[in-house]
């Protein structure tokens, strides 16, 4: 009921503001739903790929490493995505940082490496409430469904990319019944 009420208010107020700004009454084609704790659980892991011989970093190598790590997380937490009766789902799987042979790399593709290492952020959520939120928002905005995301990753990305951000910082989300505290280093 709360999701319906808030979505309808956003639609009502937003439609008026879009019309006043000259956009007419066009509705968004997509909607992103950011959930906070306790609706999801974040997991950050370090993934390493090493070879005896030098190799070139490419999409296929990263795809294999990501798929292997995702399967490991699914096994560890009992996620059986796509299976009937699955309770958990992965709502995000994002590389936060990348290093080649121990050195940070913003653009790793095409570089030669003996070892690559990346921090992988994964957010897991209980499937039932996320699907319910997504479907209700989708009905209100007349789209298939809202795309779920964790608030923590959006919050982290906004702070990390700001010019004032230090190398190490603390993120606090004190907006709901559960307070999230995250320590960011390097």
């Amino acid at each position: 009921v709360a999701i319906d009420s808030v979505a309808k208010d956003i639609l009502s107020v937003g439609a008026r503001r879009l019309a006043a700004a000259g956009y007419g009454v066009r509705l968004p084609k997509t909607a992103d739903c950011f959930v906070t704790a306790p609706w999801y659980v974040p997991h950050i892991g370090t993934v390493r790929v090493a070879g005896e011989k030098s190799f070139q970093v490419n999409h296929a190598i990263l795809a294999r490493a990501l798929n292997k790590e995702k399967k490991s997380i699914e096994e560890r937490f009992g996620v059986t995505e796509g299976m009937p009766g699955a309770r958990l789902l992965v709502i995000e799987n994002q590389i936060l940082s990348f290093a080649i042979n121990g050195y940070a790399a913003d653009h790793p593709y095409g570089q030669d490496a003996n070892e690559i290492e990346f921090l992988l952020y994964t957010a897991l959520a209980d499937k039932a409430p996320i699907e319910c939120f997504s479907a209700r928002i989708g009905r209100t905005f007349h789209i298939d469904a809202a795309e779920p995301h964790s608030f923590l990753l959006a919050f982290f990305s906004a702070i990390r990319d700001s010019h004032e951000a230090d190398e190490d910082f603390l993120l606090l989300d004190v907006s709901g019944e559960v307070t999230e505290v995250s320590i960011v280093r390097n």
Side-chain angles (χ1 to χ4, degrees):
V1 173
I3 294 287
D4 281 337
S5 175
V6 169
K8 286 176 185 172
D9 286 349
I10 290 171
L11 182 60
S12 165
V13 172
R16 284 194 305 262
R17 289 194 178 168
L18 285 172
Y23 289 100
V25 290
R26 291 182 296 181
L27 293 176
K29 290 181 171 65
T30 60
D32 293 285
C33 177
F34 293 87
V35 295
T36 61
W39 299 106
Y40 77 98
V41 176
H43 177 270
I44 297 176
T46 301
V47 179
R48 288 183 182 86
V49 177
E52 290 184 24
K53 294 182 179 180
S54 182
F55 57 91
Q56 193 172 62
V57 180
N58 59 40
H59 290 282
I61 288 172
L62 277 183
R64 281 193 303 271
L66 283 168
N67 193 38
K68 183 178 176 183
E69 184 64 14
K70 185 178 178 188
K71 285 182 180 179
S72 171
I73 290 168
E74 288 172 347
E75 288 174 12
R76 203 170 335 152
F77 293 102
V79 177
T80 50
E81 218 171 318
M83 300 284 289
R87 286 201 51 230
L88 292 176
L89 84 129
V90 175
I91 61 172
E92 287 186 307
N93 213 26
Q94 181 77 31
I95 294 175
L96 300 179
S97 65
F98 203 94
I100 296 176
N101 299 330
Y103 296 97
D106 290 332
H107 307 287
Y109 296 112
Q111 293 191 35
D112 291 327
N114 291 330
E115 177 185 85
I116 59 175
E117 179 179 292
F118 56 90
L119 279 179
L120 182 65
Y121 172 87
T122 304
L124 303 165
D126 190 327
K127 191 175 185 175
I130 296 299
E131 285 180 345
C132 182
F133 295 162
S134 179
R136 287 181 179 274
I137 292 167
R139 276 194 303 273
T140 302
F141 287 96
H142 307 291
I143 58 175
D144 291 337
E147 184 71 29
H149 303 281
S150 66
F151 176 73
L152 180 60
L153 184 58
F155 187 29
F156 164 74
S157 297
I159 300 299
R160 176 198 61 197
D161 295 342
S162 75
H163 297 289
E164 294 88 31
D166 290 324
E167 193 170 301
D168 303 322
F169 53 93
L170 186 68
L171 292 174
L172 297 169
D173 175 16
V174 195
S175 61
E177 66 185 56
V178 175
T179 298
E180 281 187 278
V181 179
S182 303
I183 299 170
V184 180
R185 293 191 178 103
N186 297 324

XYZ file of all heavy atoms in Angstrom, residues 115-171:
458
model
N 48.514 -11.259 -13.740
C 47.484 -11.382 -12.709
C 46.537 -10.180 -12.801
O 46.979 -9.051 -12.978
C 48.115 -11.404 -11.316
C 47.106 -11.465 -10.199
C 47.733 -11.363 -8.822
O 47.956 -10.230 -8.367
O 47.995 -12.421 -8.233
N 45.264 -10.469 -12.694
C 44.278 -9.397 -12.564
C 43.524 -9.619 -11.262
O 43.389 -10.752 -10.789
C 43.296 -9.316 -13.763
C 42.528 -10.623 -13.949
C 44.035 -8.923 -15.025
C 41.465 -10.556 -15.032
N 43.085 -8.528 -10.685
C 42.355 -8.594 -9.426
C 41.294 -7.499 -9.446
O 41.566 -6.386 -9.881
C 43.323 -8.371 -8.264
C 42.681 -8.386 -6.907
C 43.696 -8.183 -5.790
O 44.525 -9.081 -5.578
O 43.661 -7.106 -5.174
N 40.086 -7.858 -9.028
C 39.056 -6.830 -8.950
C 38.159 -7.056 -7.749
O 38.016 -8.177 -7.269
C 38.248 -6.708 -10.250
C 37.588 -7.971 -10.729
C 36.309 -8.306 -10.322
C 38.238 -8.807 -11.613
C 35.681 -9.446 -10.785
C 37.630 -9.953 -12.087
C 36.344 -10.273 -11.677
N 37.615 -5.940 -7.252
C 36.633 -5.991 -6.174
C 35.265 -6.100 -6.808
O 34.900 -5.275 -7.647
C 36.687 -4.720 -5.322
C 37.767 -4.641 -4.271
C 37.690 -3.298 -3.551
C 37.648 -5.762 -3.272
N 34.507 -7.105 -6.393
C 33.187 -7.331 -6.948
C 32.137 -7.097 -5.874
O 32.163 -7.730 -4.816
C 33.067 -8.760 -7.489
C 31.741 -9.118 -8.135
C 31.521 -8.284 -9.393
C 31.689 -10.602 -8.458
N 31.236 -6.173 -6.148
C 30.123 -5.874 -5.255
C 28.906 -6.656 -5.750
O 28.534 -6.561 -6.920
C 29.820 -4.377 -5.269
C 28.561 -3.999 -4.527
C 28.592 -3.748 -3.160
C 27.346 -3.899 -5.181
C 27.439 -3.406 -2.478
C 26.190 -3.552 -4.507
C 26.239 -3.313 -3.153
O 25.099 -2.977 -2.482
N 28.299 -7.418 -4.866
C 27.092 -8.175 -5.192
C 26.039 -7.860 -4.142
O 26.346 -7.820 -2.953
C 27.382 -9.699 -5.197
O 28.450 -9.959 -6.115
C 26.160 -10.495 -5.604
N 24.822 -7.607 -4.591
C 23.712 -7.367 -3.666
C 22.686 -8.479 -3.860
O 22.263 -8.760 -4.975
C 23.078 -6.010 -3.914
N 22.330 -9.128 -2.745
C 21.336 -10.196 -2.746
C 20.085 -9.708 -2.047
O 20.164 -8.946 -1.087
C 21.881 -11.411 -1.979
C 23.190 -12.002 -2.482
C 23.785 -12.928 -1.442
C 22.953 -12.736 -3.778
N 18.935 -10.158 -2.536
C 17.677 -9.732 -1.929
C 16.683 -10.883 -1.928
O 16.754 -11.782 -2.770
C 17.095 -8.550 -2.689
N 15.753 -10.817 -0.993
C 14.650 -11.764 -0.954
C 13.776 -11.480 -2.174
O 13.328 -10.347 -2.384
C 13.863 -11.590 0.344
C 12.849 -12.691 0.569
O 12.295 -13.208 -0.417
O 12.592 -13.022 1.736
N 13.548 -12.493 -2.961
C 12.866 -12.332 -4.251
C 11.436 -11.800 -4.132
O 11.031 -10.933 -4.907
C 12.862 -13.691 -4.955
C 12.434 -13.667 -6.370
C 12.596 -15.052 -6.973
C 12.280 -15.034 -8.447
N 12.539 -16.330 -9.050
N 10.668 -12.294 -3.182
C 9.234 -11.950 -3.101
C 8.982 -10.447 -2.921
O 8.240 -9.853 -3.706
C 8.556 -12.763 -2.009
N 9.569 -9.787 -1.909
C 9.277 -8.361 -1.771
C 9.827 -7.518 -2.923
O 9.188 -6.565 -3.356
C 9.915 -7.960 -0.443
C 10.795 -9.068 -0.044
C 10.366 -10.286 -0.789
N 10.990 -7.882 -3.452
C 11.568 -7.121 -4.561
C 10.658 -7.220 -5.786
O 10.390 -6.217 -6.457
C 12.999 -7.602 -4.897
C 13.946 -7.353 -3.717
C 13.510 -6.952 -6.173
C 14.107 -5.903 -3.316
N 10.175 -8.411 -6.082
C 9.267 -8.563 -7.220
C 7.960 -7.813 -6.981
O 7.398 -7.230 -7.909
C 9.003 -10.042 -7.501
C 10.179 -10.725 -8.174
C 9.940 -12.201 -8.466
O 8.988 -12.789 -7.909
O 10.719 -12.757 -9.258
N 7.490 -7.791 -5.747
C 6.262 -7.071 -5.405
C 6.467 -5.563 -5.592
O 5.637 -4.901 -6.226
C 5.852 -7.391 -3.972
S 4.325 -6.608 -3.473
N 7.562 -5.012 -5.051
C 7.864 -3.584 -5.217
C 7.925 -3.240 -6.707
O 7.327 -2.276 -7.173
C 9.218 -3.208 -4.607
C 9.331 -3.346 -3.125
C 10.579 -3.390 -2.527
C 8.217 -3.428 -2.301
C 10.710 -3.499 -1.160
C 8.342 -3.547 -0.931
C 9.591 -3.573 -0.360
N 8.702 -4.032 -7.430
C 8.936 -3.786 -8.844
C 7.637 -3.817 -9.649
O 7.382 -2.945 -10.485
C 9.921 -4.836 -9.372
O 10.168 -4.652 -10.727
N 6.799 -4.800 -9.388
C 5.538 -4.933 -10.119
C 4.587 -3.778 -9.809
O 3.938 -3.231 -10.707
C 4.880 -6.265 -9.783
N 4.508 -3.377 -8.547
C 3.604 -2.277 -8.170
C 4.045 -0.960 -8.801
O 3.225 -0.200 -9.302
C 3.515 -2.146 -6.655
C 2.719 -3.268 -6.026
C 2.622 -3.095 -4.519
N 1.841 -4.146 -3.935
C 0.521 -4.141 -3.826
N -0.174 -3.127 -4.290
N -0.121 -5.139 -3.262
N 5.333 -0.694 -8.779
C 5.852 0.525 -9.411
C 5.620 0.455 -10.918
O 5.219 1.432 -11.546
C 7.342 0.721 -9.070
C 7.490 1.041 -7.577
C 7.967 1.818 -9.924
C 8.904 0.954 -7.058
N 5.836 -0.722 -11.493
C 5.607 -0.914 -12.922
C 4.166 -0.643 -13.321
O 3.905 0.001 -14.338
N 3.213 -1.123 -12.509
C 1.795 -0.883 -12.811
C 1.462 0.607 -12.761
O 0.755 1.126 -13.613
C 0.904 -1.645 -11.830
C 0.658 -3.081 -12.210
C -0.485 -3.684 -11.417
N -0.317 -3.636 -9.981
C 0.322 -4.554 -9.253
N 0.860 -5.593 -9.847
N 0.414 -4.435 -7.952
N 1.991 1.296 -11.766
C 1.702 2.716 -11.620
C 2.243 3.527 -12.793
O 1.579 4.415 -13.302
C 2.286 3.260 -10.296
O 1.724 2.516 -9.220
C 1.987 4.728 -10.113
N 3.460 3.211 -13.228
C 4.096 3.967 -14.303
C 3.863 3.355 -15.688
O 4.423 3.823 -16.676
C 5.597 4.113 -14.026
C 5.895 5.080 -12.926
C 6.092 4.639 -11.627
C 5.961 6.438 -13.181
C 6.348 5.534 -10.601
C 6.217 7.336 -12.164
C 6.410 6.892 -10.867
N 3.080 2.291 -15.744
C 2.738 1.630 -17.012
C 3.971 1.148 -17.767
O 4.137 1.392 -18.958
C 1.879 2.555 -17.894
C 0.678 3.077 -17.181
N -0.388 2.273 -16.831
C 0.387 4.308 -16.704
C -1.288 2.990 -16.199
N -0.840 4.230 -16.090
N 4.852 0.484 -17.026
C 6.037 -0.158 -17.602
C 6.010 -1.616 -17.155
O 5.210 -1.989 -16.293
C 7.349 0.532 -17.144
C 7.460 0.521 -15.618
C 7.447 1.938 -17.708
C 8.768 1.055 -15.088
N 6.880 -2.447 -17.731
C 6.881 -3.868 -17.368
C 7.180 -4.081 -15.889
O 6.490 -4.821 -15.207
C 7.882 -4.651 -18.212
C 7.438 -4.741 -19.669
O 6.224 -4.615 -19.931
O 8.308 -4.926 -20.534
N 8.221 -3.446 -15.394
C 8.614 -3.561 -13.989
C 9.715 -2.560 -13.710
O 10.374 -2.074 -14.629
C 9.108 -4.971 -13.677
N 9.923 -2.260 -12.438
C 11.023 -1.382 -12.041
C 12.275 -2.228 -11.849
O 12.203 -3.364 -11.391
C 10.678 -0.664 -10.743
N 13.400 -1.675 -12.202
C 14.678 -2.375 -12.056
C 15.201 -2.161 -10.637
O 15.431 -1.025 -10.224
C 15.671 -1.819 -13.076
C 17.000 -2.510 -13.108
C 16.938 -3.903 -13.700
O 16.077 -4.157 -14.551
O 17.762 -4.733 -13.292
N 15.411 -3.248 -9.859
C 15.877 -3.067 -8.473
C 17.387 -2.834 -8.393
O 18.152 -3.396 -9.172
C 15.498 -4.390 -7.808
C 15.533 -5.395 -8.908
C 15.124 -4.655 -10.156
N 17.785 -1.980 -7.450
C 19.196 -1.699 -7.165
C 19.354 -1.532 -5.662
O 18.405 -1.190 -4.966
C 19.648 -0.390 -7.831
C 19.458 -0.347 -9.303
N 20.310 -0.959 -10.176
C 18.495 0.237 -10.053
C 19.885 -0.750 -11.413
N 18.783 -0.023 -11.356
N 20.569 -1.703 -5.187
C 20.839 -1.431 -3.773
C 21.191 0.049 -3.627
O 21.909 0.612 -4.454
C 21.984 -2.302 -3.267
O 23.187 -1.954 -3.899
N 20.689 0.664 -2.580
C 20.986 2.065 -2.334
C 22.480 2.257 -2.071
O 23.071 3.253 -2.496
C 20.167 2.580 -1.143
C 20.497 3.999 -0.787
C 20.079 5.041 -1.596
C 21.242 4.293 0.339
C 20.402 6.357 -1.288
C 21.567 5.601 0.651
C 21.141 6.636 -0.161
N 23.102 1.308 -1.404
C 24.509 1.444 -1.028
C 25.407 1.671 -2.242
O 26.279 2.539 -2.215
C 24.990 0.216 -0.240
C 26.443 0.244 0.206
C 26.722 1.435 1.107
C 26.801 -1.056 0.912
N 25.209 0.933 -3.318
C 26.081 1.103 -4.486
C 25.885 2.481 -5.124
O 26.853 3.136 -5.511
C 25.838 -0.002 -5.518
C 26.771 0.040 -6.726
C 28.236 -0.054 -6.315
C 26.424 -1.075 -7.696
N 24.640 2.940 -5.212
C 24.387 4.276 -5.764
C 25.010 5.353 -4.873
O 25.643 6.295 -5.360
C 22.886 4.502 -5.905
N 24.850 5.207 -3.569
C 25.394 6.144 -2.589
C 26.922 6.171 -2.698
O 27.544 7.234 -2.810
C 24.926 5.713 -1.204
C 25.253 6.638 -0.069
C 25.386 7.998 -0.235
C 25.393 6.121 1.211
C 25.668 8.839 0.839
C 25.669 6.941 2.291
C 25.813 8.303 2.096
N 27.536 4.988 -2.700
C 28.991 4.873 -2.813
C 29.491 5.525 -4.099
O 30.447 6.294 -4.098
C 29.415 3.398 -2.773
C 30.813 3.160 -3.253
C 31.898 3.505 -2.463
C 31.051 2.609 -4.505
C 33.200 3.300 -2.908
C 32.340 2.408 -4.959
C 33.414 2.753 -4.159
N 28.836 5.240 -5.228
C 29.267 5.781 -6.519
C 29.201 7.302 -6.542
O 30.099 7.958 -7.069
C 28.404 5.209 -7.642
O 28.575 3.813 -7.713
N 28.151 7.865 -5.969
C 28.010 9.324 -5.942
C 29.107 9.964 -5.103
O 29.701 10.973 -5.498
C 26.644 9.712 -5.403
N 29.408 9.388 -3.954
C 30.444 9.948 -3.072
C 31.831 9.733 -3.673
O 32.646 10.657 -3.733
C 30.372 9.332 -1.651
C 29.017 9.615 -1.003
C 31.533 9.801 -0.796
C 28.711 11.082 -0.812
N 32.102 8.526 -4.152
C 33.413 8.210 -4.721
C 33.749 9.121 -5.886
O 34.881 9.560 -6.044
C 33.437 6.750 -5.194
C 34.745 6.366 -5.885
C 34.616 5.117 -6.709
N 33.619 5.330 -7.754
C 33.032 4.348 -8.430
N 33.318 3.111 -8.159
N 32.153 4.621 -9.361
N 32.771 9.425 -6.720
C 33.015 10.224 -7.920
C 33.000 11.732 -7.666
O 33.229 12.510 -8.582
C 32.003 9.859 -9.007
C 32.180 8.414 -9.475
O 33.263 7.837 -9.220
O 31.246 7.865 -10.078
N 32.728 12.153 -6.431
C 32.752 13.586 -6.141
C 34.202 14.032 -5.971
O 35.073 13.262 -5.592
C 31.938 13.909 -4.888
O 32.634 13.533 -3.723
N 34.457 15.284 -6.250
C 35.826 15.799 -6.195
C 36.340 15.923 -4.765
O 37.533 15.932 -4.539
C 35.902 17.157 -6.898
C 35.577 17.065 -8.346
N 36.410 16.465 -9.261
C 34.495 17.466 -9.058
C 35.874 16.508 -10.455
N 34.703 17.117 -10.363
N 35.428 16.026 -3.799
C 35.850 16.198 -2.412
C 36.155 14.878 -1.698
O 36.620 14.876 -0.576
C 34.772 16.942 -1.601
C 34.553 18.375 -2.031
C 33.519 18.481 -3.133
O 32.601 17.656 -3.178
O 33.647 19.391 -3.965
N 35.854 13.746 -2.324
C 36.009 12.452 -1.652
C 37.472 12.165 -1.328
O 38.359 12.355 -2.155
C 35.443 11.333 -2.513
N 37.694 11.722 -0.119
C 39.018 11.280 0.291
C 39.226 9.852 -0.182
O 38.297 9.180 -0.610
C 39.146 11.334 1.817
C 39.176 12.757 2.352
O 39.754 13.629 1.672
O 38.612 12.985 3.428
N 40.465 9.379 -0.066
C 40.767 8.010 -0.454
C 40.054 7.017 0.465
O 39.617 5.960 0.038
C 42.280 7.798 -0.405
C 42.727 6.529 -1.072
C 44.232 6.467 -1.216
O 44.812 7.359 -1.867
O 44.815 5.528 -0.664
N 39.929 7.351 1.723
C 39.234 6.517 2.700
C 38.079 7.334 3.269
O 38.244 8.512 3.572
C 40.163 6.136 3.860
C 41.418 5.410 3.384
O 41.328 4.613 2.449
O 42.495 5.664 3.963
N 36.912 6.708 3.394
C 35.774 7.426 3.966
C 34.754 6.450 4.544
O 34.830 5.250 4.323
C 35.126 8.388 2.965
C 34.737 7.780 1.639
C 33.458 7.282 1.435
C 35.644 7.732 0.593
C 33.094 6.745 0.215
C 35.291 7.201 -0.634
C 34.005 6.706 -0.822
N 33.838 7.002 5.283
C 32.784 6.243 5.948
C 31.451 6.659 5.356
O 31.184 7.843 5.178
C 32.810 6.570 7.447
C 31.909 5.803 8.378
C 32.351 4.355 8.482
C 31.944 6.452 9.759
N 30.608 5.687 5.007
C 29.263 5.958 4.502
C 28.258 5.536 5.559
O 28.345 4.433 6.087
C 28.983 5.150 3.226
C 29.759 5.511 1.979
C 29.456 4.506 0.865
C 29.396 6.896 1.511
